[in-house]
């Protein structure tokens, strides 16, 4: 059972084939390049790779505009290369998740081309049409400021089509049983080629009712159950990781009361509160967010992340909390995006302060759920704010100090490699950090190992322990007979804290599993300790015999 639910104690690494490694010198990353870097990823210790879209696409939304679901975009290689890659990953014990983008297609998808060319086409009803411009056409844009409408007039057929995202991404009519059957077929296809599941894009929109006369769209949650059942029949251990930035009270609908829907969801709620905590040294909203999202079915799991390929969405914070985060991490308008977020990478957001970076990643590895690391984070890569929208944080991986950071032999990489400033590839690259025992890269490797050796975090029950200081977060994980305690100080100064653990953890010492500074409770039965600015510590309670206990479990 423990190993069957592999995603409970996984470490996921997210990357885009396009910007990871170019093997043939055309400036675009490809599967062969990725294949050559598999040992690097195995060395880092990650247990799953999440590939961003790589299917055939005009590439107007970085591949989230698919024009053929059953192929690899020729710029990245062939289906054969893909299978070589999944095989290579499997040999190294690494699973592969891929993006499943089925809320919409590209407007260059043959289905849409046929649908717009002929109202009688069998694909007409695969999309969402209206004869007139719906009253709400100028509402509900996902990319405000860039996208101007959610209904666009198609010149060919003279009708309006619905698109939740950009106008070149017409929404699929997901209520149509033929569309649903096609979605299953797409999943079945990639499962057969060796993937262990999907990161499902834009889930709330996939399951939302769509149409010109739908005023209050309801979600069709049962669709999620259909996806899940199909997947489990085809390959029992495959999972869906849902992208669904919804209110905590809605989460359970996505997991299903008995865990019969999605296995995993990204925890956007905790993500936003975490950034607020880092900006303000006030962890109270974070503790509340953890509490609000603690109820999960047994097989459910959170995906914990810091930054992803999109903007850091702060839309669920209060106005003043959001302003606090903007002031701290993205004060210039050019750093902000879509009126709700920050588009920078983490390292520049934190001013390159290694103490704060390590604090943030230590949290990512130790908050309740499965950590999802983004390529380049392991070396502290920066961003290029001269690039439009979210592209600033999607620059090629920096492998060495060779031209183009060793990403490509071409002089024209698909996106510019960061070459100047403190985050330029001359300073920040894998080759340098590999040779430095104290580098971010080697630290990340140690943290990944530590996280995998603390399954209590992935599996256990999490509760916050109060130490009277809202700038310090203490979490206690209990799982079977084991207890792990993680402590993070958000203060920029040293602080002394004291805390009492539930009775059963106060007898033996707390064993420091990162640095080796154990702690014993004083005569007052409280642990007293000093934390460096942005300091963090991971402990195991109950002495060293936890290994014995684990074996028994
Ligand atoms: C969410 C993805 O993360 C984002 O990058 C994309 O633009 C939209 N969905 C549309 O697919």
């Amino acid at each position: 059972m423990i190993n069957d639910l592999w995603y409970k104690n996984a470490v996921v690494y997210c990357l885009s084939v396009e910007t990871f490694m170019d093997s043939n010198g055309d400036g675009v990353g490809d599967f062969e390049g990725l294949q050559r870097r598999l040992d690097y990823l195995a060395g880092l210790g990650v247990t799953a790779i999440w590939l961003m879209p790589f299917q055939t696409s005009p590439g107007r939304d970085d591949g989230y505009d698919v024009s053929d679901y059953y192929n690899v975009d020729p710029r990245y290689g062939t289906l054969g290369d893909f299978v070589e890659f999944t095989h290579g990953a499997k040999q190294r014990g690494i699973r592969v998740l891929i993006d499943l983008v089925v809320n919409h297609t590209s407007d260059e998808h043959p289905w849409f081309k046929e649908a717009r060319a002929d109202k009688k086409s069998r694909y007409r009803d695969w999309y969402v049409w209206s004869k007139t411009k719906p009253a709400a056409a100028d509402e509900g844009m996902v990319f405000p400021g860039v996208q101007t409408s959610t209904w666009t007039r198609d010149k060919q057929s003279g009708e309006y089509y619905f698109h939740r995202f950009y106008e070149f991404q017409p929404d699929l009519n997901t209520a149509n049983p033929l569309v649903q059957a096609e979605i299953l077929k797409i999943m079945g296809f990639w499962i057969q080629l060796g993937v262990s599941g999907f990161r499902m894009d834009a889930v709330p929109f996939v399951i939302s009712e769509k149409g010109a006369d739908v005023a209050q769209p309801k979600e069709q949650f049962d669709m999620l159950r259909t996806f899940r059942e199909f997947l489990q029949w085809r390959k029992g251990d495959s999972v869906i990781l849902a992208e669904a930035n919804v209110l905590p009270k809605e989460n359970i609908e996505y997991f299903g009361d008995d865990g019969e829907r999605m296995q995993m969801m990204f925890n956007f709620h905790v993500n936003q509160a975490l950034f607020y905590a880092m900006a303000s040294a006030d962890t109270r909203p974070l503790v509340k967010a953890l509490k609000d999202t603690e109820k999960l079915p047994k097989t459910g799991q959170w995906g914990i992340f810091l930054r992803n390929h999109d903007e850091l969405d702060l839309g669920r914070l209060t106005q003043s909390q959001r302003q606090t985060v903007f002031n701290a991490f993205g004060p210039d308008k050019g750093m902000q995006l879509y009126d709700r977020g920050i588009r920078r990478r983490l390292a520049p957001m934190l001013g390159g302060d290694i103490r704060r970076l390590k604090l943030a990643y230590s949290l990512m590895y130790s908050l309740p759920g499965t950590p999802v690391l983004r390529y380049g984070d392991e070396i502290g890569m920066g961003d290029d704010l001269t690039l439009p929208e979210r592209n600033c944080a999607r620059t090629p991986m920096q492998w060495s100090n060779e031209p183009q950071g060793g990403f490509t032999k071409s002089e024209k990489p698909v996106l510019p490699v960061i070459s100047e400033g403190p985050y330029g590839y001359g300073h920040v690259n894998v080759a340098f950090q590999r040779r430095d025992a104290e580098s971010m890269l080697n630290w990340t490797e140690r943290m990944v190992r530590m996280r995998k050796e603390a399954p209590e975090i992935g599996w256990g029950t999490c509760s916050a322990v109060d130490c009277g200081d809202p700038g310090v977060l203490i979490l206690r994980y209990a799982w079977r007979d084991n207890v792990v305690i993680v402590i993070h100080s958000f203060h920029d100064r040293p602080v002394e804290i004291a805390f009492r653990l539930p009775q059963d953890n106060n007898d033996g010492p707390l064993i420091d599993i990162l640095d080796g500074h154990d702690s014993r409770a004083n005569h007052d039965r409280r642990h007293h300790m000093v934390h460096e600015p942005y300091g963090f510590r991971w402990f195991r309670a109950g002495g060293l015999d936890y290994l014995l206990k684990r074996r028994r479990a």
Side-chain angles (χ1 to χ4, degrees):
M1 176 76 168
I2 293 176
N3 294 328
D4 292 339
L5 271 59
W6 60 270
Y7 54 94
K8 285 273 200 176
N9 206 40
V11 178
V12 183
Y13 186 96
C14 159
L15 67 92
S16 155
V17 178
E18 185 177 73
T19 48
F20 203 59
M21 183 65 207
D22 171 22
S23 72
N24 60 4
D26 66 356
V28 183
D30 44 46
F31 276 104
E32 219 179 302
L34 172 55
Q35 174 90 17
R36 292 185 199 167
R37 290 294 184 249
L38 269 176
D39 287 316
Y40 166 79
L41 295 174
L44 203 52
V46 302
T47 62
I49 297 172
W50 153 27
L51 290 185
M52 296 178 56
F54 55 82
Q55 290 86 351
T56 315
S57 161
R60 295 179 68 190
D61 183 15
D62 219 9
Y64 284 94
D65 46 336
V66 178
S67 57
D68 180 358
Y69 287 98
Y70 300 104
N71 251 313
V72 167
D73 192 292
R75 293 174 310 150
Y76 311 142
T78 62
L79 278 176
D81 296 329
F82 177 79
V83 171
E84 281 304 291
F85 158 71
T86 52
H87 176 68
K90 191 173 176 196
Q91 277 185 317
R92 290 162 178 86
I94 301 177
R95 290 173 185 269
V96 177
L97 303 174
I98 65 170
D99 245 290
L100 180 66
V101 188
V102 290
N103 174 64
H104 45 267
T105 67
S106 156
D107 59 356
E108 291 183 32
H109 196 294
W111 302 335
F112 189 67
K113 284 192 185 165
E114 263 197 49
R116 73 188 337 178
D118 178 3
K119 286 191 188 149
K120 294 209 181 69
S121 150
R122 61 182 287 234
Y123 293 115
R124 182 71 182 177
D125 195 34
W126 283 39
Y127 294 89
V128 187
W129 301 96
S130 172
K131 289 198 173 56
T132 52
K133 188 172 181 181
D138 300 330
E139 291 166 19
M141 277 83 73
V142 175
F143 304 124
V146 185
Q147 179 191 356
T148 48
S149 176
T150 50
W151 289 88
T152 293
R153 186 166 178 278
D154 166 40
K155 287 197 195 90
Q156 237 174 312
S157 70
E159 292 190 3
Y160 289 80
Y161 63 91
F162 178 61
H163 53 91
R164 178 58 76 173
F165 296 93
Y166 297 110
E167 87 287 349
F168 54 81
Q169 291 165 314
D171 266 46
L172 280 165
N173 176 12
T174 43
N176 181 337
L178 294 175
V179 172
Q180 288 183 18
E182 190 73 29
I183 293 175
L184 299 187
K185 198 165 158 187
I186 294 167
M187 293 202 285
F189 178 81
W190 292 104
I191 284 290
Q192 206 70 23
L193 297 189
V195 310
S196 291
F198 303 92
R199 176 263 188 197
M200 197 169 191
D201 190 57
V203 180
F205 300 134
V206 173
I207 62 173
S208 169
E209 287 176 325
K210 307 176 185 193
D213 44 8
V214 179
Q216 298 274 310
K218 282 209 194 71
E219 293 94 352
Q220 303 144 284
F221 285 110
D222 224 37
M223 217 188 276
L224 301 180
R225 187 194 170 113
T226 313
F227 296 155
R228 164 71 177 269
E229 275 177 358
F230 172 82
L231 256 195
Q232 304 249 279
W233 276 110
R234 286 282 165 104
K235 190 163 180 270
D237 60 351
S238 43
V239 298
I240 300 182
L241 164 56
E243 186 217 13
N245 183 354
V246 294
L247 291 171
K249 63 176 181 343
E250 294 169 49
N251 289 328
I252 202 69
E253 300 278 14
Y254 287 79
F255 286 112
D257 280 331
D258 300 318
E260 74 279 13
R261 295 175 185 162
M262 313 277 91
Q263 291 93 338
M264 296 184 76
M265 276 174 85
F266 285 110
N267 199 333
F268 283 94
H269 207 56
V270 159
N271 176 265
Q272 307 193 14
L274 173 58
F275 274 92
Y276 175 70
M278 291 199 290
S280 65
D282 178 3
T283 67
R284 285 170 297 185
L286 177 57
V287 172
K288 181 168 184 311
L290 290 168
K291 191 96 199 124
D292 289 346
T293 56
E294 79 183 348
K295 194 170 162 264
L296 286 188
K298 269 212 172 89
T299 54
Q301 179 71 324
W302 289 116
I304 299 291
F305 65 103
L306 293 173
R307 289 286 294 108
N308 59 20
H309 60 289
D310 292 326
E311 78 287 1
L312 165 66
D313 186 342
L314 303 168
R316 302 229 181 258
L317 296 180
T318 65
Q319 171 95 27
S320 94
Q321 288 172 338
R322 188 163 43 251
Q323 200 50 52
T324 304
V325 183
F326 276 144
N327 293 347
F329 300 140
D332 300 346
K333 273 277 170 241
M335 298 168 175
Q336 302 170 8
L337 200 58
Y338 311 137
D339 306 329
R340 61 169 178 247
I342 299 179
R343 64 189 191 118
R344 308 171 81 188
R345 272 230 188 214
L346 188 71
M349 273 170 78
L350 300 181
D353 185 336
I354 193 76
R355 300 167 309 168
R356 298 185 89 181
L357 274 170
K358 287 186 174 174
L359 172 79
Y361 287 115
S362 170
L363 281 153
M364 186 182 81
Y365 294 117
S366 66
L367 286 170
T370 291
V372 183
L373 182 66
R374 179 158 155 70
Y375 82 92
D377 280 7
E378 72 273 32
I379 54 170
M381 263 172 60
D383 50 37
D384 178 351
L385 293 176
T386 65
L387 297 174
E389 285 184 72
R390 296 160 292 164
N391 276 0
C392 63
R394 297 175 175 181
T395 59
M397 181 69 180
Q398 298 172 193
W399 294 105
S400 69
N401 66 342
E402 286 169 20
Q404 310 299 348
F407 159 69
T408 178
K409 293 260 181 280
S410 161
E411 280 169 19
K412 286 209 173 95
V414 58
L415 278 173
V417 184
I418 296 179
S419 56
E420 280 163 21
Y423 301 98
Y425 64 76
H427 316 282
V428 177
N429 66 62
V430 171
F432 280 6
Q433 294 200 17
R434 212 192 274 278
R435 285 175 283 184
D436 171 4
E438 295 313 314
S439 67
M440 189 76 196
L441 177 65
N442 283 314
W443 179 82
T444 300
E445 193 183 316
R446 294 195 289 276
M447 291 303 282
V448 168
R449 183 189 320 133
M450 200 51 71
R451 171 61 184 77
K452 289 194 294 190
E453 289 177 4
E456 293 84 352
I457 298 173
W459 281 90
T461 311
C462 173
S463 52
V465 176
D466 189 18
C467 69
D469 181 342
V472 179
L473 178 71
I474 306 181
L475 296 179
R476 173 182 183 272
Y477 289 94
W479 183 57
R480 303 204 160 161
D481 290 338
N482 300 315
V483 169
V484 162
I485 312 283
V486 292
I487 308 181
H488 292 87
S489 170
F490 292 72
H491 290 295
D492 58 2
R493 55 187 160 80
V495 284
E496 206 177 331
I497 57 164
F499 60 93
R500 183 191 290 253
L501 291 173
Q503 225 174 354
D504 54 329
N505 303 136
N506 274 336
D507 296 340
L510 292 179
I511 309 289
D512 187 326
I513 52 178
L514 289 184
D515 289 329
H517 298 295
D518 301 346
S519 168
R520 269 189 186 280
N522 277 7
H523 53 277
D524 61 357
R525 299 190 77 79
R526 296 196 305 167
H527 288 268
H528 295 253
M529 53 184 75
V530 174
H531 277 261
E532 295 302 312
Y534 309 115
F536 54 89
R537 295 169 80 175
W538 293 25
F539 293 103
R540 188 178 286 287
L544 283 170
D545 74 337
Y546 96 92
L547 282 174
L548 292 173
K549 286 188 199 156
R550 254 194 86 187
R551 215 162 293 144
R552 239 191 298 131

